[in-house]
Amino acid sequence: MKHFSKATMLIGVAAAITLGLTACTPGGSAAPAASQTLGPVSKDLGSGKTTLTVWDQNTDTGINDAQQVLNDEFEKAHPDITIKRVSRSFADLKTTLKLALSGDNPPDVVQANQGYPDMGAFVKAGFLRPVDDYAKLYGWDDYYPSGLLKLNSFSPDGTTWQGDDLYGVSQTGELVGVYYNKAVLQRAGIDSPPTTVAELTADMAKVKSAGALPLSYGDVEKSPGIHLYGLVLSALAGHDAVNDLVAGKSGSWTGDDEVAAAKTITGWVDKGYVTEGANGVSRDDAVSTFGKGGSAFLITGTWYQATLEAASSAKDIGFTALTPAGASTPVTMGGEGLAWAITSKTKNANAAAAYIDFITNAKAASTLVDKGNLPTVVPDDDTPATGTIAGDITSNYKTISSSNNITPYLDYATPTFYDTITSAMQDLVAGKATPEQYTKTLQDDYTGFVQK
C-alpha cells in the first residue's frame, strides 16, 4: 500500500470493517476484570537505565528488517533504554503469549491479535493496560481514523469488542489477495488475472492442463487456512454478509455461500490444483515455491510483499483480489496488523508508550515503506511504480477500501474460533471432513458463543 492519504484510504478501511460490527458482544456479559490503577503519563522518560522486553510476531523479511531498524533508532534516540526483543511467528505467539502474560515477569510490550480469542481474553484477565491516556498524549486518537482504533478497543471486562477502552495501536495495514505469476499464466494461454472465484477456478484448470501447479499452499502453521477460506467466502458472499456473520448480527456458517466456499476449496484439492499434502507444507515453503515461478497462484496477505519483491520471479508477479457476482469492486479480508499493547504489570509504562509511538508514527511509516511494508497510515508522498507488486497492492487497496469492501478476519468471531476454524480447515483440505461437516463445525462454535 502506497501514497494515498489516510483520508482517502484508511477511513475507507475503518468504515469497511466497522460497518458490519456491533458494539454489543454476542456472548453476553461476564464479571469485569479488576479495575487498574494507572499512574501519571508523561513523555519525560527520566535518566535511569531501563530494559523494555518486547514480544512481536514480525518475523517475515520486510517487517523484520523494518523492526530491527526502528529498534536500533529508538535505542539511539533513548540511550538509557535497551530493547530486549522476543520475536515469534504468529502461530508461536498465539500459543505462548498468554502464558507469558500470566507470569510474574511478563513482557512490557506485546503484539496482541484483535478480536475475542486473544485481545479480548487478555483484557478480561487484566493482562493489558488501557492506553487512552497515551493516545491523547501522543495524538494517536488524531493520527489514526477512529474506526481503526475501534478494532483495537474492548470494554474493560473484555466482553465487548469495539468497546470504550483502547488497548493498542497497529503498525501495518493488510489485505489478503491473489498473487499471480504472469509468465506461468501466459504459458497456459491466460492473458489476464482472474477477477472472480469462477475465473480463478477456470484458470487453475488451464494451468493444470499445461503441466504446472495452479496454487501453491502450505498450512502446517494452520493460520493460512483462514486466509484461503476467507478470501473465497468474501468473494462469494460479499462484504455485508461476511461482516454481519463475523459480528454475530446475522447469517449462518452453514449458509449457501459458506458451504459453496468450502466446496470450492475441496474441488481445487480433489482436482490437484493445490500443493499435495498442503497440511504438512509450511507457508514459507509455499511462498518460496511461488516466488521461484513454481506455481501460478498464491493466496496470502500483503505482509509477503517484501519477500516476493526479492523473489527470483518478482518481475512476473502481480497482485489482485476477487469480485463477487453482481458487485463492481473486489471484496476481501484485511484491515490492520496486530495491535502493539502495554502489559498491565509493566513498571515502565511511559517508556513502553514512547516505544510504541516511535515504531508506529509517521516517520516509522516511511521506514516500513522503504522495507517493503504497508503501514497503517500511508505517507502521502509514497508513489510506487505502476505494474509492480507494490503498485498492484496500492491500486487494489485504494479501490477496495474506498468502496468499504474489506471484511474482518474470520477468527475474530468467537473466543475459540481461531482454533476451531484452523483445525477444521486442515480436515477439509485433507478430505477428513465434507464441506457440510466443516461448516457445521464452525456453526457449532459460533452458536455456542452468540447464544450465551
Side-chain angles (χ1 to χ4, degrees):
M1 277 224 357
K2 316 290 180 192
H3 88 276
F4 299 99
S5 69
K6 73 176 180 181
T8 57
M9 297 187 69
L10 293 174
I11 290 176
V13 178
I17 299 174
T18 57
L19 277 175
L21 299 174
T22 64
C24 296
T25 299
S29 61
S35 61
Q36 299 179 24
T37 301
L38 306 179
V41 300
S42 175
K43 292 184 180 180
D44 182 0
L45 306 184
S47 58
K49 297 292 184 180
T50 301
T51 297
L52 282 180
T53 301
V54 177
W55 280 39
D56 70 60
Q57 60 102 46
N58 290 343
T59 58
D60 293 327
T61 300
I63 190 63
N64 178 66
D65 292 346
Q67 196 64 49
Q68 289 178 342
V69 169
L70 292 171
N71 284 357
D72 289 344
E73 291 179 349
F74 180 82
E75 289 182 332
K76 290 178 182 177
H78 302 278
D80 291 324
I81 300 177
T82 300
I83 302 301
K84 180 181 178 182
R85 183 186 181 197
V86 178
S87 188
R88 300 176 181 270
S89 70
F90 177 73
D92 287 344
L93 190 72
K94 282 191 68 70
T95 59
T96 59
L97 184 54
K98 184 175 182 180
L99 181 62
L101 291 175
S102 63
D104 294 332
N105 189 30
D108 299 286
V109 177
V110 300
Q111 278 192 289
N113 194 27
Q114 295 89 342
Y116 293 110
D118 294 317
M119 182 179 283
F122 299 157
V123 171
K124 186 175 182 179
F127 294 156
L128 301 182
R129 181 198 191 280
V131 295
D132 300 272
D133 46 3
Y134 287 117
K136 291 182 176 61
L137 181 67
Y138 284 100
W140 299 340
D141 44 4
D142 292 324
Y143 182 65
Y144 296 95
S146 60
L148 293 181
L149 293 175
K150 274 294 184 183
L151 294 183
N152 293 332
S153 302
F154 262 93
S155 60
D157 61 3
T159 62
T160 303
W161 184 29
Q162 298 201 17
D164 294 331
D165 289 356
L166 181 68
Y167 284 92
V169 292
S170 296
Q171 187 181 38
T172 56
E174 295 179 351
L175 274 185
V176 174
V178 181
Y179 291 94
Y180 60 94
N181 186 297
K182 302 166 192 176
V184 177
L185 293 183
Q186 288 173 356
R187 288 195 291 270
I190 302 168
D191 296 326
S192 60
T195 60
T196 66
V197 172
E199 287 183 8
L200 177 58
T201 302
D203 286 350
M204 286 185 181
K206 293 177 182 178
V207 171
K208 177 72 172 177
S209 296
L213 173 66
L215 178 65
S216 184
Y217 176 62
D219 195 30
V220 73
E221 297 89 354
K222 302 180 77 171
S223 60
I226 297 174
H227 309 141
L228 180 64
Y229 182 68
L231 178 133
V232 177
L233 178 61
S234 295
L236 290 179
H239 168 267
D240 291 350
V242 175
N243 267 339
D244 289 350
L245 182 60
V246 174
K249 292 178 64 176
S250 63
S252 167
W253 292 96
T254 55
D256 290 345
D257 288 326
E258 288 72 16
V259 174
K263 286 183 176 179
T264 296
I265 293 170
T266 57
W268 293 349
V269 174
D270 291 345
K271 293 175 182 176
Y273 298 165
V274 179
T275 301
E276 186 176 357
N279 288 342
V281 177
S282 74
R283 62 174 193 150
D284 287 346
D285 284 347
V287 172
S288 177
T289 296
F290 173 79
K292 295 174 183 177
S295 67
F297 300 109
L298 174 73
I299 293 175
T300 189
T302 51
W303 50 86
Y304 270 117
Q305 176 184 328
T307 299
L308 291 173
E309 285 175 337
S312 59
S313 66
K315 65 180 178 59
D316 294 322
I317 295 175
F319 178 89
T320 190
L322 304 179
T323 303
S328 58
T329 56
V331 177
T332 194
M333 294 194 310
E336 57 185 340
L338 273 63
W340 289 89
I342 301 174
T343 61
S344 59
K345 291 183 181 179
T346 181
K347 296 180 176 63
N348 307 302
N350 286 334
Y355 172 76
I356 291 174
D357 181 71
F358 191 93
I359 65 172
T360 61
N361 62 22
K363 183 179 179 181
S366 296
T367 300
L368 290 165
V369 169
D370 290 343
K371 297 298 182 180
N373 301 282
L374 176 63
T376 311
V377 178
V378 182
D380 291 334
D381 60 354
D382 184 25
T383 55
T386 302
T388 62
I389 298 172
D392 283 353
I393 288 173
T394 299
S395 176
N396 276 276
Y397 198 89
K398 178 184 178 183
T399 299
I400 298 168
S401 62
S402 64
S403 302
N404 294 336
N405 275 340
I406 296 180
T407 58
Y409 292 105
L410 306 183
D411 57 301
Y412 292 177
T414 84
T416 55
F417 212 69
Y418 177 86
D419 290 337
T420 298
I421 192 171
T422 54
S423 295
M425 269 299 296
Q426 286 195 332
D427 287 343
L428 181 72
V429 170
K432 296 179 180 178
T434 66
E436 291 79 10
Q437 290 169 333
Y438 164 78
T439 53
K440 183 179 184 301
T441 297
L442 304 188
Q443 183 62 28
D444 287 347
D445 183 311
Y446 186 72
T447 300
F449 178 59
V450 298
Q451 292 185 352
K452 286 182 180 178

